[in-house]
Amino acid sequence: MGRWICCLRSRVADLLMLLLVLALSCNPSTAATASPSAPHIKPSYSFGRTFLGLDKCNACIGTSICKKFFKEEIRFDTWLSSRLKLPPSYLLSYSGNYTDDAKSWRLVDITRLTSKYRHDQADKRICTSLLKTKTCSLERALRRTHRFQKWLRAKRLTPDLVQGLPSPMLRCPSQRLLDRIVRRYAEVPDAGSIYMDHLTDRDKLRLLYTLSVNSHPILLQIFPDVEGWPFPRYLGSCGRLVVSASTRPLRDFYGAAPEVAADLALQLLAVLRSMGTNDLNYFFYFTHVDAGTFGVFSNGHLFIRDASMLGIIDKEEGSQLIDGQQEYKDIFSCLTVDCQSAFVSCNSIREKHSLVMVCQELLPKLLKGKFLQPVQEKIDSFLQHCASGLADDQGVNEAVAKLAELLKPLRSCDSRFAYRYPDCKYSDKY
């Protein structure tokens, strides 16, 4: 009898358990509470302050775009991967992806102002030359310098505050150019004044450090693409990384089709003309060009990809420094360059300077062997005249003009050139 009762109780318990399972399966919310599924772990970058260079601030570029890095609204080119890994820190530039709404992404370039090795060497130089130690607080060391103490007391950025800095942009400075730098410095909340009252001590150190290492991001800020200047858009900085709109270097187009090469060559010549003659009366010149100096957007538009070797002469005000004053040098003069490097005299720069360099270094590689004879022979002849025209201003200008006329009909008008299509169908300009 007892054994029968025990068996009955077991069956009743089994029945109650079955009813409970059926009840839970009919109520999804109860089931989720009673039996939670394994949590989904979102893959994430393990950003370190060292990779970004934040551990070196305020001897860095800025922090305006750091939030987007940590919120993963800026990702490197592996952002679709299930395992998000940071690329090697020793690279000079990275391809990345940028979003404002977490839905649409656009390509960006993430770059260092100089290689990590050079940054590390400069950091060691600061400590050993200023504090006589192998390691130190970079900010504390730079704050103690005579130059930065002058910056702290200054109400306005004047030519004497930038004398001896290695940037070509500052070798022949005018007060008008320096006011433009302060007024448009994008790493501060308010950059609308020519006076430095709105810059904190930290902001002044970051601006001075950037100008001392590489003026590229400053040029992007003070001559923005939205005003028609041929630079990629500056999006911000974090530590020692700069984020800007993405372009493919010109070297990627050396093997391009003839019509593409002709189009890029004409754009290149047009950019150089605009940098010599513009509404603001600034004359831009290159101290060096290579296959990475210019870049091409996805719509076929050519821009200046690397402005670090770009000098500026103010044709309206002229230079505020005589050449002798440029010889002043301190730790800021040699953070990334040889302290013994000689400065180029402002008076030695001529308007055809950049044209000759481009004819020597870039256009022959872009246009070589692209066209049938006798067109190719004429192109090569014009390039040779341009490249050897240092002593003949008129000869360079004539050779470039003839080259442009020869290249214009070699372009095509189709969707590959989105920056001018379909306008080219209805305009004689193209």
Side-chain angles (χ1 to χ4, degrees):
M1 183 72 174
R3 185 176 180 181
W4 181 83
I5 293 175
C6 181
C7 184
L8 181 61
R9 286 176 178 172
S10 176
R11 290 184 178 180
V12 170
D14 290 342
L15 181 60
L16 289 174
M17 182 61 71
L18 178 61
L19 291 173
L20 177 61
V21 169
L22 290 173
L24 290 174
S25 64
C26 293
N27 190 339
S29 61
T30 307
T33 304
S35 179
S37 60
H40 174 67
I41 301 175
K42 179 183 178 182
S44 179
Y45 287 116
S46 297
F47 271 116
R49 292 170 60 82
T50 302
F51 181 86
L52 295 170
L54 282 171
D55 58 325
K56 304 297 176 64
C57 283
N58 289 305
C60 63
I61 311 164
T63 56
S64 60
I65 209 165
C66 287
K67 286 184 179 179
K68 282 196 167 288
F69 274 106
F70 288 108
K71 291 168 66 177
E72 292 185 24
E73 292 175 348
I74 295 177
R75 297 180 176 182
F76 293 88
D77 56 5
T78 55
W79 72 275
L80 288 176
S81 170
S82 59
R83 293 184 176 183
L84 299 178
K85 293 182 179 180
L86 289 173
S89 61
Y90 59 79
L91 297 177
L92 190 60
S93 63
Y94 312 89
S95 176
N97 298 272
Y98 177 101
T99 185
D100 288 317
D101 55 13
K103 296 178 182 178
S104 57
W105 294 82
R106 52 193 168 112
L107 290 175
V108 292
D109 289 333
I110 305 169
T111 57
R112 302 182 188 277
L113 297 191
T114 188
S115 67
K116 189 174 185 302
Y117 171 77
R118 285 195 173 184
H119 267 312
D120 292 343
Q121 291 299 109
D123 294 344
K124 290 178 182 178
R125 191 179 299 121
I126 292 170
C127 294
T128 54
S129 64
L130 298 180
L131 298 182
K132 311 302 180 185
T133 59
K134 291 184 178 180
T135 59
C136 69
S137 166
L138 300 176
E139 181 175 357
R140 189 178 301 121
L142 294 176
R143 276 177 171 272
R144 293 170 57 177
T145 61
H146 175 66
R147 188 192 293 267
F148 187 66
Q149 288 301 312
K150 287 180 66 176
W151 273 62
L152 289 178
R153 296 189 297 269
K155 293 292 184 181
R156 193 174 182 182
L157 185 60
T158 51
D160 63 296
L161 295 178
V162 299
Q163 64 175 317
L165 295 184
S167 168
M169 182 181 74
L170 300 173
R171 288 180 186 172
C172 313
S174 68
Q175 188 59 58
R176 186 169 70 116
L177 176 64
L178 298 179
D179 288 344
R180 191 176 181 88
I181 291 174
V182 173
R183 192 173 65 249
R184 296 189 168 213
Y185 182 43
E187 288 297 314
V188 294
D190 175 18
S193 172
I194 63 172
Y195 297 101
M196 295 198 289
D197 298 336
H198 62 287
L199 300 183
T200 64
D201 294 357
R202 174 200 65 193
D203 298 328
K204 289 182 178 180
L205 181 56
R206 290 178 180 177
L207 176 57
L208 173 56
Y209 180 84
T210 307
L211 291 172
S212 303
V213 176
N214 188 326
S215 58
H216 171 76
I218 303 299
L219 274 159
L220 269 55
Q221 294 168 44
I222 66 177
F223 297 108
D225 67 309
V226 293
E227 295 179 2
W229 297 96
F231 300 107
R233 181 166 300 180
Y234 176 81
L235 298 173
S237 300
C238 183
R240 289 180 170 178
L241 292 179
V242 178
V243 183
S244 59
S246 176
T247 58
R248 289 176 60 193
L250 187 63
R251 69 171 67 90
D252 290 357
F253 295 86
Y254 283 169
E259 61 272 20
V260 175
D263 182 82
L264 292 176
L266 283 166
Q267 286 193 73
L268 186 51
L269 295 176
V271 165
L272 294 183
R273 281 196 299 271
S274 70
M275 303 309 275
T277 305
N278 51 75
D279 293 341
L280 292 186
N281 234 3
Y282 288 114
F283 169 58
F284 297 78
Y285 66 93
F286 285 99
T287 58
H288 171 80
V289 295
D290 58 38
T293 301
F294 296 90
V296 183
F297 284 122
S298 58
N299 65 356
H301 208 171
L302 181 137
F303 275 61
I304 296 174
R305 189 171 190 258
D306 179 3
S308 61
M309 293 291 104
L310 202 59
I312 302 177
I313 293 177
D314 191 335
K315 294 196 290 186
E316 187 171 301
E317 285 190 4
S319 172
Q320 300 292 313
L321 284 179
I322 61 174
D323 291 333
Q325 289 177 290
Q326 293 179 331
E327 297 305 320
Y328 173 86
K329 292 180 181 178
D330 61 0
I331 187 64
F332 291 100
S333 307
C334 51
L335 287 181
T336 57
V337 297
D338 181 5
C339 292
Q340 305 304 316
S341 299
F343 290 114
V344 176
S345 168
C346 299
N347 296 326
S348 67
I349 305 300
R350 301 168 72 175
E351 293 200 4
K352 64 179 180 181
H353 188 82
S354 299
L355 274 174
V356 171
M357 282 197 295
V358 166
C359 288
Q360 290 174 341
E361 301 295 331
L362 302 183
L363 289 179
K365 297 173 183 176
L366 181 63
L367 300 174
K368 182 180 179 181
K370 286 289 195 305
F371 307 97
L372 298 175
Q373 300 297 356
V375 173
Q376 185 68 53
E377 185 177 353
K378 291 181 180 179
I379 290 174
D380 295 342
S381 176
F382 292 146
L383 287 178
Q384 188 174 2
H385 278 89
C386 173
S388 60
L390 283 174
D392 182 8
D393 288 359
Q394 186 176 356
V396 171
N397 292 329
E398 287 179 358
V400 169
K402 290 178 180 178
L403 176 63
E405 286 301 315
L406 190 62
L407 291 173
K408 281 181 181 178
L410 300 177
R411 297 186 298 178
S412 65
C413 181
D414 57 62
S415 58
R416 287 176 298 172
F417 310 99
Y419 79 96
R420 59 180 175 88
Y421 180 83
D423 295 347
C424 53
K425 280 188 173 183
Y426 310 106
S427 173
D428 295 335
K429 175 183 175 182
Y430 298 104

PDB file of all heavy atoms in Angstrom, residues 53 56-61 119 123 126 138-139 142 202 205-206 209-210 239-240:
ATOM      1  N   GLY A  53      48.717  57.908 -28.026  1.00  0.00           N
ATOM      2  CA  GLY A  53      49.634  58.981 -27.657  1.00  0.00           C
ATOM      3  C   GLY A  53      49.087  59.875 -26.563  1.00  0.00           C
ATOM      4  O   GLY A  53      49.658  60.921 -26.256  1.00  0.00           O
ATOM      5  N   LYS A  56      51.210  61.006 -23.620  1.00  0.00           N
ATOM      6  CA  LYS A  56      52.208  62.064 -23.807  1.00  0.00           C
ATOM      7  C   LYS A  56      51.588  63.456 -23.762  1.00  0.00           C
ATOM      8  O   LYS A  56      52.305  64.449 -23.887  1.00  0.00           O
ATOM      9  CB  LYS A  56      52.930  61.870 -25.146  1.00  0.00           C
ATOM     10  CG  LYS A  56      53.586  60.502 -25.316  1.00  0.00           C
ATOM     11  CD  LYS A  56      54.689  60.264 -24.298  1.00  0.00           C
ATOM     12  CE  LYS A  56      55.274  58.879 -24.399  1.00  0.00           C
ATOM     13  NZ  LYS A  56      55.952  58.624 -25.674  1.00  0.00           N
ATOM     14  N   CYS A  57      50.264  63.546 -23.665  1.00  0.00           N
ATOM     15  CA  CYS A  57      49.640  64.871 -23.585  1.00  0.00           C
ATOM     16  C   CYS A  57      50.049  65.534 -22.266  1.00  0.00           C
ATOM     17  O   CYS A  57      50.174  64.845 -21.248  1.00  0.00           O
ATOM     18  CB  CYS A  57      48.123  64.761 -23.651  1.00  0.00           C
ATOM     19  SG  CYS A  57      47.475  64.464 -25.322  1.00  0.00           S
ATOM     20  N   ASN A  58      50.341  66.853 -22.316  1.00  0.00           N
ATOM     21  CA  ASN A  58      49.878  67.763 -23.353  1.00  0.00           C
ATOM     22  C   ASN A  58      50.943  68.064 -24.406  1.00  0.00           C
ATOM     23  O   ASN A  58      50.831  69.052 -25.153  1.00  0.00           O
ATOM     24  CB  ASN A  58      49.395  69.070 -22.723  1.00  0.00           C
ATOM     25  CG  ASN A  58      48.105  68.857 -21.973  1.00  0.00           C
ATOM     26  OD1 ASN A  58      47.138  68.367 -22.534  1.00  0.00           O
ATOM     27  ND2 ASN A  58      48.087  69.203 -20.707  1.00  0.00           N
ATOM     28  N   ALA A  59      51.967  67.215 -24.491  1.00  0.00           N
ATOM     29  CA  ALA A  59      52.903  67.275 -25.613  1.00  0.00           C
ATOM     30  C   ALA A  59      52.332  66.412 -26.734  1.00  0.00           C
ATOM     31  O   ALA A  59      52.896  65.406 -27.146  1.00  0.00           O
ATOM     32  CB  ALA A  59      54.275  66.773 -25.186  1.00  0.00           C
ATOM     33  N   CYS A  60      51.169  66.832 -27.213  1.00  0.00           N
ATOM     34  CA  CYS A  60      50.452  66.057 -28.234  1.00  0.00           C
ATOM     35  C   CYS A  60      49.694  67.030 -29.123  1.00  0.00           C
ATOM     36  O   CYS A  60      49.863  68.236 -29.028  1.00  0.00           O
ATOM     37  CB  CYS A  60      49.513  65.042 -27.588  1.00  0.00           C
ATOM     38  SG  CYS A  60      48.204  65.795 -26.589  1.00  0.00           S
ATOM     39  N   ILE A  61      48.840  66.505 -29.988  1.00  0.00           N
ATOM     40  CA  ILE A  61      48.152  67.352 -30.961  1.00  0.00           C
ATOM     41  C   ILE A  61      46.830  67.878 -30.415  1.00  0.00           C
ATOM     42  O   ILE A  61      46.504  69.047 -30.558  1.00  0.00           O
ATOM     43  CB  ILE A  61      47.886  66.572 -32.262  1.00  0.00           C
ATOM     44  CG1 ILE A  61      49.162  65.885 -32.729  1.00  0.00           C
ATOM     45  CG2 ILE A  61      47.369  67.499 -33.353  1.00  0.00           C
ATOM     46  CD1 ILE A  61      48.936  64.817 -33.749  1.00  0.00           C
ATOM     47  N   HIS A 119      58.971  60.043 -32.908  1.00  0.00           N
ATOM     48  CA  HIS A 119      58.327  60.592 -31.718  1.00  0.00           C
ATOM     49  C   HIS A 119      59.090  60.166 -30.466  1.00  0.00           C
ATOM     50  O   HIS A 119      59.372  60.991 -29.585  1.00  0.00           O
ATOM     51  CB  HIS A 119      56.881  60.099 -31.625  1.00  0.00           C
ATOM     52  CG  HIS A 119      55.888  61.029 -32.250  1.00  0.00           C
ATOM     53  ND1 HIS A 119      55.856  62.387 -32.007  1.00  0.00           N
ATOM     54  CD2 HIS A 119      54.860  60.789 -33.101  1.00  0.00           C
ATOM     55  CE1 HIS A 119      54.866  62.935 -32.682  1.00  0.00           C
ATOM     56  NE2 HIS A 119      54.247  61.997 -33.354  1.00  0.00           N
ATOM     57  N   ASP A 123      61.041  62.497 -27.789  1.00  0.00           N
ATOM     58  CA  ASP A 123      60.717  62.501 -26.360  1.00  0.00           C
ATOM     59  C   ASP A 123      61.972  62.316 -25.517  1.00  0.00           C
ATOM     60  O   ASP A 123      62.157  62.977 -24.477  1.00  0.00           O
ATOM     61  CB  ASP A 123      59.706  61.393 -26.053  1.00  0.00           C
ATOM     62  CG  ASP A 123      58.354  61.643 -26.716  1.00  0.00           C
ATOM     63  OD1 ASP A 123      58.109  62.793 -27.136  1.00  0.00           O
ATOM     64  OD2 ASP A 123      57.566  60.692 -26.829  1.00  0.00           O
ATOM     65  N   ILE A 126      64.018  65.523 -25.490  1.00  0.00           N
ATOM     66  CA  ILE A 126      63.475  66.526 -24.577  1.00  0.00           C
ATOM     67  C   ILE A 126      63.992  66.290 -23.166  1.00  0.00           C
ATOM     68  O   ILE A 126      64.461  67.207 -22.478  1.00  0.00           O
ATOM     69  CB  ILE A 126      61.936  66.504 -24.604  1.00  0.00           C
ATOM     70  CG1 ILE A 126      61.420  67.003 -25.951  1.00  0.00           C
ATOM     71  CG2 ILE A 126      61.358  67.354 -23.473  1.00  0.00           C
ATOM     72  CD1 ILE A 126      59.934  66.792 -26.161  1.00  0.00           C
ATOM     73  N   LEU A 138      57.175  65.061 -20.047  1.00  0.00           N
ATOM     74  CA  LEU A 138      57.411  65.905 -21.215  1.00  0.00           C
ATOM     75  C   LEU A 138      56.784  67.282 -21.052  1.00  0.00           C
ATOM     76  O   LEU A 138      57.378  68.302 -21.403  1.00  0.00           O
ATOM     77  CB  LEU A 138      56.857  65.227 -22.475  1.00  0.00           C
ATOM     78  CG  LEU A 138      57.449  63.869 -22.839  1.00  0.00           C
ATOM     79  CD1 LEU A 138      56.723  63.299 -24.050  1.00  0.00           C
ATOM     80  CD2 LEU A 138      58.928  63.981 -23.119  1.00  0.00           C
ATOM     81  N   GLU A 139      55.578  67.307 -20.514  1.00  0.00           N
ATOM     82  CA  GLU A 139      54.890  68.581 -20.337  1.00  0.00           C
ATOM     83  C   GLU A 139      55.654  69.481 -19.382  1.00  0.00           C
ATOM     84  O   GLU A 139      55.861  70.669 -19.656  1.00  0.00           O
ATOM     85  CB  GLU A 139      53.477  68.341 -19.825  1.00  0.00           C
ATOM     86  CG  GLU A 139      52.697  69.632 -19.633  1.00  0.00           C
ATOM     87  CD  GLU A 139      51.253  69.400 -19.239  1.00  0.00           C
ATOM     88  OE1 GLU A 139      50.844  68.229 -19.165  1.00  0.00           O
ATOM     89  OE2 GLU A 139      50.554  70.397 -19.016  1.00  0.00           O
ATOM     90  N   LEU A 142      58.845  70.824 -21.147  1.00  0.00           N
ATOM     91  CA  LEU A 142      58.609  71.832 -22.171  1.00  0.00           C
ATOM     92  C   LEU A 142      58.067  73.134 -21.586  1.00  0.00           C
ATOM     93  O   LEU A 142      58.321  74.226 -22.113  1.00  0.00           O
ATOM     94  CB  LEU A 142      57.646  71.292 -23.229  1.00  0.00           C
ATOM     95  CG  LEU A 142      58.177  70.132 -24.082  1.00  0.00           C
ATOM     96  CD1 LEU A 142      57.108  69.622 -25.033  1.00  0.00           C
ATOM     97  CD2 LEU A 142      59.420  70.558 -24.863  1.00  0.00           C
ATOM     98  N   ARG A 202      47.380  74.641 -21.519  1.00  0.00           N
ATOM     99  CA  ARG A 202      47.411  73.339 -22.192  1.00  0.00           C
ATOM    100  C   ARG A 202      47.233  73.502 -23.697  1.00  0.00           C
ATOM    101  O   ARG A 202      47.949  72.894 -24.500  1.00  0.00           O
ATOM    102  CB  ARG A 202      46.284  72.459 -21.627  1.00  0.00           C
ATOM    103  CG  ARG A 202      46.102  71.123 -22.323  1.00  0.00           C
ATOM    104  CD  ARG A 202      44.719  70.575 -22.038  1.00  0.00           C
ATOM    105  NE  ARG A 202      43.693  71.430 -22.624  1.00  0.00           N
ATOM    106  CZ  ARG A 202      42.394  71.344 -22.342  1.00  0.00           C
ATOM    107  NH1 ARG A 202      41.975  70.485 -21.453  1.00  0.00           N
ATOM    108  NH2 ARG A 202      41.524  72.145 -22.932  1.00  0.00           N
ATOM    109  N   LEU A 205      50.393  74.868 -25.339  1.00  0.00           N
ATOM    110  CA  LEU A 205      51.448  73.864 -25.480  1.00  0.00           C
ATOM    111  C   LEU A 205      51.139  72.927 -26.633  1.00  0.00           C
ATOM    112  O   LEU A 205      52.029  72.562 -27.414  1.00  0.00           O
ATOM    113  CB  LEU A 205      51.617  73.076 -24.184  1.00  0.00           C
ATOM    114  CG  LEU A 205      52.713  72.001 -24.200  1.00  0.00           C
ATOM    115  CD1 LEU A 205      54.059  72.609 -24.573  1.00  0.00           C
ATOM    116  CD2 LEU A 205      52.801  71.275 -22.865  1.00  0.00           C
ATOM    117  N   ARG A 206      49.885  72.538 -26.788  1.00  0.00           N
ATOM    118  CA  ARG A 206      49.515  71.633 -27.881  1.00  0.00           C
ATOM    119  C   ARG A 206      49.699  72.307 -29.239  1.00  0.00           C
ATOM    120  O   ARG A 206      50.164  71.673 -30.191  1.00  0.00           O
ATOM    121  CB  ARG A 206      48.063  71.170 -27.713  1.00  0.00           C
ATOM    122  CG  ARG A 206      47.867  70.234 -26.533  1.00  0.00           C
ATOM    123  CD  ARG A 206      46.412  69.843 -26.381  1.00  0.00           C
ATOM    124  NE  ARG A 206      46.224  68.936 -25.250  1.00  0.00           N
ATOM    125  CZ  ARG A 206      45.056  68.478 -24.852  1.00  0.00           C
ATOM    126  NH1 ARG A 206      43.950  68.830 -25.501  1.00  0.00           N
ATOM    127  NH2 ARG A 206      44.963  67.667 -23.818  1.00  0.00           N
ATOM    128  N   TYR A 209      53.462  72.535 -29.846  1.00  0.00           N
ATOM    129  CA  TYR A 209      54.009  71.208 -30.146  1.00  0.00           C
ATOM    130  C   TYR A 209      53.657  70.792 -31.577  1.00  0.00           C
ATOM    131  O   TYR A 209      54.506  70.293 -32.315  1.00  0.00           O
ATOM    132  CB  TYR A 209      53.463  70.181 -29.150  1.00  0.00           C
ATOM    133  CG  TYR A 209      53.979  68.779 -29.388  1.00  0.00           C
ATOM    134  CD1 TYR A 209      55.207  68.374 -28.871  1.00  0.00           C
ATOM    135  CD2 TYR A 209      53.245  67.866 -30.136  1.00  0.00           C
ATOM    136  CE1 TYR A 209      55.700  67.092 -29.102  1.00  0.00           C
ATOM    137  CE2 TYR A 209      53.722  66.590 -30.370  1.00  0.00           C
ATOM    138  CZ  TYR A 209      54.949  66.213 -29.847  1.00  0.00           C
ATOM    139  OH  TYR A 209      55.430  64.939 -30.101  1.00  0.00           O
ATOM    140  N   THR A 210      52.409  71.010 -31.991  1.00  0.00           N
ATOM    141  CA  THR A 210      51.987  70.632 -33.346  1.00  0.00           C
ATOM    142  C   THR A 210      52.771  71.399 -34.399  1.00  0.00           C
ATOM    143  O   THR A 210      53.250  70.822 -35.379  1.00  0.00           O
ATOM    144  CB  THR A 210      50.481  70.885 -33.529  1.00  0.00           C
ATOM    145  OG1 THR A 210      49.751  70.233 -32.487  1.00  0.00           O
ATOM    146  CG2 THR A 210      50.003  70.352 -34.875  1.00  0.00           C
ATOM    147  N   GLY A 239      45.359  62.518 -28.999  1.00  0.00           N
ATOM    148  CA  GLY A 239      46.737  62.229 -28.644  1.00  0.00           C
ATOM    149  C   GLY A 239      47.666  62.658 -29.754  1.00  0.00           C
ATOM    150  O   GLY A 239      47.751  63.835 -30.104  1.00  0.00           O
ATOM    151  N   ARG A 240      48.328  61.688 -30.375  1.00  0.00           N
ATOM    152  CA  ARG A 240      49.235  61.982 -31.474  1.00  0.00           C
ATOM    153  C   ARG A 240      48.730  61.411 -32.800  1.00  0.00           C
ATOM    154  O   ARG A 240      49.499  61.209 -33.728  1.00  0.00           O
ATOM    155  CB  ARG A 240      50.630  61.453 -31.142  1.00  0.00           C
ATOM    156  CG  ARG A 240      51.301  62.271 -30.036  1.00  0.00           C
ATOM    157  CD  ARG A 240      52.668  61.775 -29.680  1.00  0.00           C
ATOM    158  NE  ARG A 240      53.343  62.723 -28.798  1.00  0.00           N
ATOM    159  CZ  ARG A 240      54.553  62.531 -28.283  1.00  0.00           C
ATOM    160  NH1 ARG A 240      55.229  61.429 -28.563  1.00  0.00           N
ATOM    161  NH2 ARG A 240      55.096  63.439 -27.504  1.00  0.00           N
TER     162      ARG A 240
END
